Amino acid sequence: MLAKADRLTVQFQLADAAAQARAKDVIDRHLVRFAFREGVETMAWNA
């Protein structure tokens, strides 16, 4: 994970597509919960 003033970069490798989907969901939910002041709703995910 790398945080900059204008972006948050998260990089991970997982065993399969289902694990990747779960990881994205967990990260998105945590961002909504803990970064609510910034108005974050979801990450802009890239493959």
Side-chain angles (χ1 to χ4, degrees):
M1 186 178 302
L2 177 65
K4 294 193 174 193
D6 63 339
R7 78 190 87 174
L8 175 65
T9 302
V10 178
Q11 191 173 30
F12 52 85
Q13 287 183 308
L14 299 165
D16 55 38
Q20 182 179 11
R22 283 191 304 273
K24 288 179 178 180
D25 180 58
V26 168
I27 292 168
D28 280 340
R29 284 187 286 121
H30 278 78
L31 283 172
V32 167
R33 182 174 181 185
F34 297 110
F36 61 91
R37 289 185 188 104
E38 285 79 21
V40 174
E41 294 182 17
T42 186
M43 293 273 285
W45 293 101
N46 296 316

